[in-house]
Amino acid sequence: MRKLLLGTTALAAAATLSANALADVSISGYYEWKYQSRSSTVAASDGTSMGVDSEIKFTLSNKTDSGLDIKMAVEMTSDDAETTSIDESSLSIAGGFGRIVLGSDDNAADNYAIDAEDVVGEEIQATGTDTLSLSDTDLETTGDANKITYHVPAMGGLKAGISYTDNGTNSTTGDQDSIEIGAQYTIDAGGASITLGGATRNTEQVSGTVDKESSNVGVSITSGNITAKVAQATYEATNADEEANGVGVKFKISDAMSLGAYTVKVEDSTGTTDEEYTNTGAEVTYAIASGLTAYFNISDYDYKTGAGTGAGTTADSGTVSKLTIKAKF
């Protein structure tokens, strides 16, 4: 009897330890299939194409004895014919002090910047404008580089965060350390929700060269079924002085359908490039079923190289249309 009691107690203790050690695990993902048609003044860009974009996300979360919420997130691209790799991987620690994120994840500037093209789910950006760093009103950032980010606790309608990226020990060439800061403030006025957002990025360069600096300011207003966004972004670096301005509007027609439209203009006025890029587009979104959505986009663009010697060598203009079928899991 004593042996049975001891054995039962040991099994119960082992089960309890196992239960406490196990984290909550969730798996999500999406798969996009795309068909695109492009009419371009550049013969090499003219024609049709198909593409896919997919991702699987693994999230493990747990709560410590001291009350901290810890989470590990790994996002893996899974495009068989194109690329398969780890897109983002991070550890977050949250409590009354706010939230700290360590690893490869979105930076604070990305989290809080307001982009006029966010009124659509599937943007279309024409290739061939690679000498421009800005393609819309979202600021130029360090992306998913390995970093440390701190988000302050929500205070009323205010949200804010700061990121620090160490770009390595090589201090003689390329990007050095980066600081990125973003914030949003939301208020309700007359039944409308108004969000003011701003973000900035500074990346030090080696002595004798211009630091990379980018900023974004914007406002998003939602009233009933209508959302409007107005935003501006800037980017400065060696031989770059870019400014982007844009406006976007989204109208929810029904629970299943919405219509969005935007227009953005980007200019580089350094004198060595003098480029200009405009992009005006629209999107119809239709929810086919729960977790299955169709997007139809059309975009009219115009890229001018300008007279500067550092600009792109080929001017381009045309129209791009795209059909996207997206499934979320």
Side-chain angles (χ1 to χ4, degrees):
M1 183 60 137
R2 184 180 179 187
K3 290 182 179 180
L4 177 60
L5 180 59
L6 289 174
T8 304
T9 303
L11 287 173
T16 301
L17 289 174
S18 298
N20 289 336
L22 291 176
D24 292 329
V25 180
S26 66
I27 301 175
S28 60
Y30 69 83
Y31 193 96
E32 292 183 351
W33 178 87
K34 307 174 184 181
Y35 178 79
Q36 180 170 295
S37 176
R38 180 172 176 178
S39 174
S40 171
T41 56
V42 178
S45 300
D46 195 68
T48 60
S49 62
M50 292 185 182
V52 296
D53 181 19
S54 60
E55 182 179 270
I56 300 174
K57 182 176 181 179
F58 303 89
T59 304
L60 292 81
S61 57
N62 210 340
K63 198 174 190 72
T64 68
D65 293 338
S66 58
L68 296 177
D69 292 311
I70 57 175
K71 181 184 296 184
M72 171 185 172
V74 178
E75 298 182 15
M76 181 179 71
T77 57
S78 54
D79 307 335
D80 180 49
E82 298 183 12
T83 179
T84 301
S85 61
I86 300 298
D87 182 32
E88 295 179 354
S89 176
S90 64
L91 168 68
S92 67
I93 306 168
F97 58 86
R99 181 164 59 96
I100 297 173
V101 183
L102 309 172
S104 301
D105 199 357
D106 295 337
N107 56 72
D110 281 335
N111 290 144
Y112 302 109
I114 293 177
D115 180 12
E117 290 189 28
D118 284 344
V119 296
V120 299
E122 294 289 326
E123 295 182 7
I124 297 180
Q125 300 295 348
T127 57
T129 60
D130 297 338
T131 54
L132 284 172
S133 294
L134 296 179
S135 59
D136 51 28
T137 54
D138 203 358
L139 79 169
E140 201 272 349
T141 71
T142 57
D144 295 329
N146 192 358
K147 63 177 67 67
I148 177 171
T149 299
Y150 171 65
H151 300 275
V152 302
M155 296 175 285
L158 178 64
K159 299 185 295 183
I162 182 171
S163 297
Y164 170 74
T165 304
D166 187 334
N167 283 296
T169 58
N170 186 345
S171 60
T172 59
T173 60
D175 292 352
Q176 307 302 298
D177 297 346
S178 300
I179 297 290
E180 289 157 297
I181 302 172
Q184 285 187 358
Y185 183 69
T186 301
I187 59 174
D188 292 325
S193 176
I194 303 174
T195 299
L196 307 174
T200 182
R201 173 260 182 117
N202 178 273
T203 298
E204 297 178 353
Q205 299 294 293
V206 295
S207 177
T209 57
V210 179
D211 289 350
K212 291 181 178 179
E213 295 184 350
S214 188
S215 65
N216 161 276
V217 290
V219 58
S220 177
I221 304 173
T222 299
S223 179
N225 293 329
I226 299 176
T227 296
K229 296 178 184 290
V230 179
Q232 179 188 72
T234 62
Y235 175 71
E236 295 181 6
T238 302
N239 296 328
D241 185 7
E242 302 175 18
E243 181 178 306
N245 293 278
V247 58
V249 178
K250 181 177 182 178
F251 176 65
K252 184 179 178 181
I253 301 173
S254 66
D255 290 340
M257 181 179 291
S258 63
L259 172 65
Y262 63 87
T263 183
V264 173
K265 183 176 183 179
V266 184
E267 294 179 289
D268 187 340
S269 57
T270 57
T272 58
T273 53
D274 292 332
E275 298 166 276
E276 182 179 295
Y277 171 61
T278 58
N279 183 15
T280 300
E283 175 186 82
V284 176
T285 304
Y286 180 71
I288 303 171
S290 178
L292 184 63
T293 307
Y295 303 84
F296 179 74
N297 296 75
I298 187 166
S299 171
D300 186 77
Y301 70 93
D302 184 20
Y303 170 63
K304 295 181 174 66
T305 60
T309 57
T313 56
T314 305
D316 185 14
S317 63
T319 302
V320 184
S321 57
K322 181 175 67 171
L323 171 65
T324 304
I325 304 297
K326 182 174 185 177
K328 292 183 178 181
F329 304 91

